[in-house]
Amino acid sequence: MTAKASTGALGFLLATGIAAGTHAETFRWAGTTDPQTMDPHAVSSAPVLGFLNNVYEGLVRRGRDMSIEPALATGWEPIGDGAGWRFFLRQGVTYHDGSEFDADDVVFSYERASSEASDVRSWFATVSDVIKVDDYTIDVMTNVPNPIFPDSIANWMMMDAGWAEANGAERPDKESGNHATLNANGTGAFVLSGRQPGLETVLRPFGDWWGEVEHNITEATFLPIQNPATAVAALLSGDVDLINPVPIQDAERLSGQDAVTVIRGIEARVIMLGFAHEAEALKYGPNTGDPNPFRDVRVREAVASAINVPAILQTIMRGSAEPASQLVSPAMRGFSAANDMRPAFDPDRARALLAEAGYPDGFGFGLKCPNDRYLNDEAVCQAVVGMLAHVGVTAELDAMPVRNYWPELREDNFDMYMLGWSPGTFDHEHPVRFLASTPNSEKKLGSWNFGGYSNARIDELLPMIQSEIDDTKRQAMLDEVTALYQDEHAYVTMYVQPLVWGAQANVELTQRPDNFFILRWVRVN
């Protein structure tokens, strides 16, 4: 495990804007989605967690290659026979306001992040307690053995108990907000120095950060730019140093520019369509109030058969994306090679299934989509509308900014919806827990299973998957789970989202498959 870096002279150099041996720079980057909150426990979405990884830190973190490495814990070890994990905390760490980090903050952060009000509480589904052993040692007790627990908490960020309590932010509040919504006090490499939601968010280096400083940034500003043409123009003019994403249709043109670089990769995010499994009636479209067709597996299969994923990949994604057969991509641990087939595009079968289910003339419903969250999200949804129309199903599309989108899904205001999922653990167990488990607040399961999909066998297998240390036995259970949610068409998985970033040619950075942009690895030459 790595040792704590010295923060004396190095911290002074950063505080004065001079990185050792290099010149210092301001940095401006743009994305389509503004993080909804500065609270690390309020919203479990990549725009929030990715941004806040620059401000807050967890006990562990992911490196450039996505491997788990020490952060606020210098080491960890299992307790007894699968009873839990002991973490040894880094000493000498301070928050941005100068307060010291210790075990009390970990206990507080667990209580806060696992509370009813938290959007990340599913991370702690197997945790029974967090116990302070001494000021720099904590025990995380689990109700079943959990061999992958350290891998699962890279985004569980520590908050200062005293700061939160002094500012009335003891619990997250994603609906009304509180002091932690617009303010932050982390231990990370950057300090939040300005926040204007929807306009800009400004970060500055933390001079007393414990880690090794690799960047040469004196100020970093994030700008939400929803219009793709505006973002490209800002990059070409030099007004911003990075845009994420680059519009697919502009990638080749930008690649030919000497002043900019296009960085490509494959994200660990599967784009899918979800259904209102539990709803008794349709809520939108001409058939509002009629019995909900999506409760019938034949209708869900018809939707899957009607969508021409290869055409979407070729025309909208310009060949940059890969088809997805399940809730994770082939790069993830636990991917089911035995079930690596997605429904074929077959509109005749779709029509036959609809007729068999009692809808020979189709029906109308509402499709909810974001228009600033995923790459070409609204365009993909428009294509889906057209494809469903060919089999007699009329989708009324409602596309909206993501800040409005998540509240709509949480209020069950949909018949069908788009969702993208990137497993924080890079393991198939993650989306099974969040998306395929029967929603259960007490057990902290299914918190993003908006449609209420439920399968008793999946619920039975999940704790066994979480505790199994034999990879062969574990994979067999994941294969069974995959077959179950595929056979029931719980979701229509479409494709793995590509990563396409554009940066000024003088910028060095790291593109990770989780699509998190980590400022401490940025250098402006």
Side-chain angles (χ1 to χ4, degrees):
M1 301 300 180
T2 56
K4 178 188 171 205
S6 170
T7 59
L10 193 57
F12 172 77
L13 290 172
L14 260 292
T16 56
I18 305 170
T22 66
H23 61 284
E25 296 288 348
T26 59
F27 185 84
R28 292 164 65 85
W29 84 105
T32 54
T33 305
D34 193 42
Q36 295 166 259
T37 178
M38 295 292 101
D39 189 325
H41 306 148
V43 177
S44 179
S45 72
V48 172
L49 298 178
F51 184 88
L52 291 180
N53 259 260
N54 295 300
V55 178
Y56 286 98
E57 295 175 302
L59 300 180
V60 301
R61 68 187 183 190
R62 293 196 180 275
R64 284 183 167 91
D65 62 354
M66 297 304 298
S67 62
I68 290 293
E69 60 186 32
L72 295 182
T74 57
W76 48 92
E77 63 187 22
I79 301 170
D81 187 19
W85 290 85
R86 173 163 290 181
F87 289 85
F88 304 98
L89 306 184
R90 192 177 298 276
Q91 300 186 34
V93 174
T94 62
Y95 287 95
H96 297 156
D97 69 353
S99 303
E100 292 186 5
F101 163 75
D102 60 23
D104 290 330
D105 297 319
V106 181
V107 174
F108 169 78
S109 295
Y110 163 70
E111 293 170 348
R112 190 177 193 275
S114 64
S115 68
E116 281 282 349
S118 171
D119 201 32
V120 303
R121 63 193 314 266
S122 290
W123 297 346
F124 308 98
T126 64
V127 176
S128 58
D129 200 5
V130 173
I131 301 168
K132 173 183 175 180
V133 178
D134 59 42
D135 284 347
Y136 294 100
T137 309
I138 61 113
D139 287 346
V140 178
M141 310 306 296
T142 55
N143 45 41
V144 294
N146 188 344
I148 65 168
F149 181 74
D151 289 68
S152 72
I153 56 168
N155 294 319
W156 172 31
M157 302 178 211
M158 299 298 116
M159 293 185 70
D160 177 18
W163 179 84
E165 291 163 0
N167 290 289
E170 294 92 336
R171 292 291 182 267
D173 188 342
K174 60 177 175 279
E175 305 300 335
S176 303
N178 57 31
H179 187 76
T181 305
L182 294 175
N183 301 276
N185 182 37
T187 62
F190 287 84
V191 178
L192 178 67
S193 64
R195 170 71 172 157
Q196 298 181 67
L199 296 176
E200 68 172 25
T201 305
V202 182
L203 303 177
R204 290 195 175 90
F206 179 34
D208 289 326
W209 186 51
W210 59 267
E212 178 183 354
V213 177
E214 301 177 61
H215 68 83
N216 65 339
I217 297 173
T218 52
E219 182 176 274
T221 301
F222 173 76
L223 304 165
I225 301 178
Q226 186 174 346
N227 185 292
T230 303
V232 169
L235 180 67
L236 290 173
S237 67
D239 288 340
V240 297
D241 298 288
L242 169 77
I243 61 172
N244 173 24
V246 169
I248 291 290
Q249 63 272 18
D250 294 315
E252 290 304 319
R253 176 169 66 93
L254 286 179
S255 295
Q257 302 285 328
D258 292 337
V260 300
T261 302
V262 175
I263 306 105
R264 297 177 182 266
I266 297 295
E267 190 178 356
R269 183 176 306 281
V270 171
I271 304 297
M272 67 193 81
L273 298 172
F275 302 98
H277 291 268
E278 281 187 316
E280 295 289 341
L282 291 171
K283 298 181 178 180
Y284 298 93
N287 295 103
T288 298
D290 288 355
N292 175 18
F294 297 121
R295 293 173 67 94
D296 191 320
V297 66
R298 294 169 295 185
V299 173
R300 301 195 298 269
E301 184 180 352
V303 171
S305 300
I307 297 174
N308 189 345
V309 169
I312 290 173
L313 301 187
Q314 183 63 35
T315 58
I316 299 176
M317 308 307 290
R318 306 291 178 98
S320 297
E322 301 173 352
S325 63
Q326 49 203 269
L327 298 178
V328 291
S329 74
M332 300 298 101
R333 182 188 181 199
F335 176 82
S336 179
N339 295 286
D340 191 14
M341 287 289 290
R342 67 173 322 283
F345 170 58
D346 190 341
D348 289 337
R349 175 165 176 74
R351 295 185 190 97
L353 285 164
L354 288 168
E356 184 182 329
Y359 301 96
D361 299 320
F363 59 89
F365 72 98
L367 171 61
K368 290 286 176 76
C369 283
N371 58 17
D372 63 352
R373 175 61 190 94
Y374 311 117
L375 195 60
N376 291 339
D377 43 13
E378 185 174 6
V380 170
C381 286
Q382 289 171 342
V384 166
V385 169
M387 292 168 183
L388 292 177
H390 281 300
V391 300
V393 178
T394 303
E396 181 182 275
L397 177 61
D398 185 9
M400 65 191 71
V402 74
R403 66 178 179 273
N404 302 325
Y405 188 63
W406 298 136
E408 287 287 281
L409 296 194
R410 295 201 178 281
E411 292 297 322
D412 296 327
N413 293 331
F414 60 86
D415 296 320
M416 195 165 84
Y417 62 95
M418 172 182 270
L419 181 69
W421 195 261
S422 177
T425 59
F426 273 52
D427 191 292
H428 202 159
E429 177 273 340
H430 190 272
V432 173
R433 174 165 33 110
F434 278 89
L435 305 182
S437 295
T438 303
N440 187 315
S441 179
E442 183 179 341
K443 294 183 178 179
K444 306 168 188 172
L445 297 173
S447 58
W448 283 67
N449 180 0
F450 298 117
Y453 169 70
S454 179
N455 181 292
R457 178 59 176 162
I458 291 178
D459 293 342
E460 180 184 6
L461 285 168
L462 178 61
M464 293 189 280
I465 291 167
Q466 292 171 329
S467 61
E468 182 56 64
I469 61 174
D470 184 299
D471 282 342
T472 301
K473 294 178 181 178
R474 187 176 191 270
Q475 188 60 55
M477 290 187 283
L478 283 167
D479 289 345
E480 183 179 350
V481 167
T482 306
L484 287 168
Y485 70 64
Q486 285 181 334
D487 289 347
E488 294 187 330
H489 299 277
Y491 296 89
V492 178
T493 55
M494 294 188 290
Y495 55 89
V496 184
Q497 180 165 276
L499 290 174
V500 189
W501 298 3
Q504 299 296 334
N506 65 333
V507 172
E508 297 177 19
L509 54 81
T510 296
Q511 183 186 71
R512 292 197 324 198
D514 60 359
N515 202 23
F516 283 15
F517 180 59
I518 307 299
L519 275 169
R520 58 188 169 87
W521 294 327
V522 172
R523 300 187 71 81
V524 182
N525 300 316

